[in-house]
Amino acid sequence: AVACDDDLLVGADGTRQWVRWAVAPWLDARGEVGGVTIVTEDITAWKLAEEAATESRTHFEAIVESATDAILSVDAALRVRSFNAAAERVFGVAAAEAIGGPLDRFSNNLCSALRPPWRCTRCPPRWARRRPRRARTWATTRATGPRW
């Protein structure tokens, strides 16, 4: 059997079509080749979506890396998954060192980096009292991000 998972076909008019195909012989009752089976599937929509997702992710990563604000993300286990260049400057830690580590490592630094009306829910009460009482927006060091 011969197969290809993504083959680009370009028509005479320039149209592009992505296909997945497989060719295999079929055998008769005696075990001899009786013919060929050809199976094709149009995967153009899937390939276009994949290209758009790749372009979108590249664009998003460029925005995050060029941001002047510290941006970090965590997984469900509160382990750092991404850490941009501004986060390296704010926390004084290289991204390679931060990624994979626990978020708790940055708890105190997160609190000092927050500005009103944000307030950290994990800080000691004396720190929280320094923030304006009228603040309604809360930031949390949990994976869910800001709560309203």
Side-chain angles (χ1 to χ4, degrees):
V2 179
C4 182
D5 286 335
D6 56 352
D7 200 3
L8 177 61
L9 306 176
V10 180
D13 61 353
T15 58
R16 298 171 15 136
Q17 181 180 17
W18 288 93
V19 294
R20 176 181 314 180
W21 57 266
V23 178
W26 60 267
L27 306 176
D28 62 15
R30 295 183 307 231
E32 296 177 2
V33 176
V36 177
T37 302
I38 302 172
V39 178
T40 63
E41 178 184 6
D42 184 352
I43 59 168
T44 304
W46 179 77
K47 289 297 280 187
L48 293 175
E50 186 180 62
E51 289 173 4
T54 300
E55 182 180 326
S56 178
R57 180 160 181 85
T58 302
H59 180 71
F60 173 75
E61 288 173 352
I63 290 171
V64 169
E65 272 310 305
S66 64
T68 57
D69 293 327
I71 300 174
L72 57 105
S73 65
V74 296
D75 60 16
L78 298 179
R79 296 254 174 226
V80 176
R81 303 290 300 170
S82 64
F83 204 78
N84 73 344
E88 288 181 334
R89 287 189 302 276
V90 168
F91 299 114
V93 177
E97 186 181 337
I99 293 174
L103 178 64
D104 287 348
R105 174 181 181 185
F106 304 107
S107 295
N108 293 335
N109 288 341
L110 281 172
C111 296
S112 63
L114 295 174
R115 299 287 182 260
W118 298 93
R119 186 165 63 163
C120 181
T121 59
R122 293 174 55 133
C123 293
R126 62 180 171 70
W127 183 90
R129 282 195 293 269
R130 289 189 282 150
R131 297 292 176 219
R133 290 190 175 270
R134 70 184 196 291
R136 292 187 196 134
T137 309
W138 295 73
T140 178
T141 55
R142 301 225 183 265
T144 57
R147 292 184 296 176
W148 303 98

